[in-house]
Amino acid sequence: MIFVNFKTYEKGTGVAAIELVQILEAVAHETQIKIIPVVQATDVKEMIQISRLEIWVQHVDPMEYGAHTGYILPEAVIEDGAVGTFLNHSEHKFESFALLEKAHSRAKEVGLKTLVFAADTIELQEIVKLLPTFASYEPPELVGSKTTSVAKAKPEVISQAVEITRTIGLPLIVGAGIKSSEDVRKSIELGAVGVAVASDIVAAKDPKRQLMHLIEGFE
Ligand code: G3P
């Protein structure tokens, strides 16, 4: 499976994001690989109207209905049709584990699936205690890398992460700099169930071609 994180890239925002979701859906249909667009909360409703893919959001806050200006309420994204949410991405971390725990339990409470990121194996050991739907290992220093990837630079850490998640039966997603079928193949060989990708697809001149290339790694 592939999570495609649209972040706030221009090509992952608004009308452009709708075009990208249509491409992802066509590729998912053609290849039968599960592809999950992870979009901005403001774009969920439009996505649901045009796509049958599971649509996830990039973040929710640990808030409840009330006076909380500018936050992303879990109830609001589920009402718009989101199926799941990323939490604790290195570009949007919670200030404390307690806030992450609260956001995670709020997400679960409203019925969202969750993918919680860890920057290293120490953080991963804490995160698995939350029992998210997916745990993810993403070294922040490799996110967006144009020269290397988590699979090339940290294969031994992926293996350690797999050991940690397997003990409690959690599926592991890896990400950071994923840009080739070899990156995907290596990640799966090491025991991950899928990858999280952003720049290689969202900022690509030809996202379909690039995605098809990545998917060769599942064969
Ligand atoms: O969530 C996945 C993302 O952080 C990876 O980014 O650009 O390294 O594929 P990128």
Side-chain angles (χ1 to χ4, degrees):
M1 67 192 302
I2 305 184
F3 287 87
V4 180
N5 183 354
F6 287 31
K7 302 197 174 183
T8 53
Y9 284 113
E10 190 173 356
K11 290 180 177 173
T13 303
V15 173
I18 289 174
E19 284 169 24
L20 186 55
V21 163
Q22 287 167 329
I23 293 170
L24 301 190
E25 181 152 15
V27 173
H29 191 252
E30 202 174 313
T31 62
Q32 293 300 300
I33 292 291
K34 181 154 183 158
I35 300 174
I36 299 180
V38 187
V39 307
Q40 296 164 38
T42 45
D43 286 331
V44 171
K45 212 164 186 171
E46 289 90 333
M47 303 300 174
I48 296 300
Q49 282 161 6
I50 54 111
S51 176
R52 290 177 166 213
L53 295 178
E54 261 188 36
I55 304 292
W56 284 42
V57 289
Q58 297 164 18
H59 178 84
V60 293
D61 287 301
M63 303 313 182
E64 296 173 8
Y65 288 118
H68 308 293
T69 305
Y71 289 92
I72 301 176
L73 187 68
E75 279 83 352
V77 300
I78 202 132
E79 188 179 321
D80 279 357
V83 169
T85 185
F86 277 4
L87 288 171
N88 207 43
H89 191 280
S90 59
E91 292 157 4
H92 202 149
K93 278 190 99 69
F94 290 94
E95 278 170 22
S96 66
F97 187 76
L99 283 174
L100 166 60
E101 203 170 9
K102 178 82 195 294
H104 187 263
S105 85
R106 292 259 41 244
K108 286 291 194 194
E109 195 182 318
V110 302
L112 289 166
K113 295 183 189 176
T114 56
L115 179 150
V116 182
F117 288 93
D120 51 39
T121 52
I122 294 169
E123 192 177 22
L124 187 62
Q125 271 160 347
E126 289 307 303
I127 271 160
V128 293
K129 292 179 192 159
L130 299 173
L131 299 179
T133 317
F134 299 93
S136 179
Y137 165 57
E138 233 184 64
E141 69 278 13
L142 298 179
V143 170
S145 172
K146 292 194 178 354
T147 52
T148 189
S149 70
V150 62
K152 278 203 193 81
K154 306 260 187 185
E156 72 294 344
V157 189
I158 295 180
S159 300
Q160 291 161 13
V162 167
E163 284 303 309
I164 293 167
T165 51
R166 267 200 190 142
T167 52
I168 36 180
L170 283 184
L172 181 77
I173 299 293
V174 296
I178 298 284
K179 63 180 72 52
S180 67
S181 53
E182 292 70 38
D183 287 335
V184 174
R185 190 169 294 117
K186 185 80 185 165
S187 303
I188 301 301
E189 267 172 22
L190 291 170
V193 302
V195 294
V197 189
S199 48
D200 185 61
I201 301 299
V202 184
K205 282 205 180 100
D206 186 344
K208 177 170 183 183
R209 187 158 173 261
Q210 200 49 35
L211 197 49
M212 293 300 281
H213 176 54
L214 289 191
I215 285 173
E216 286 167 24
F218 288 104
E219 285 160 9

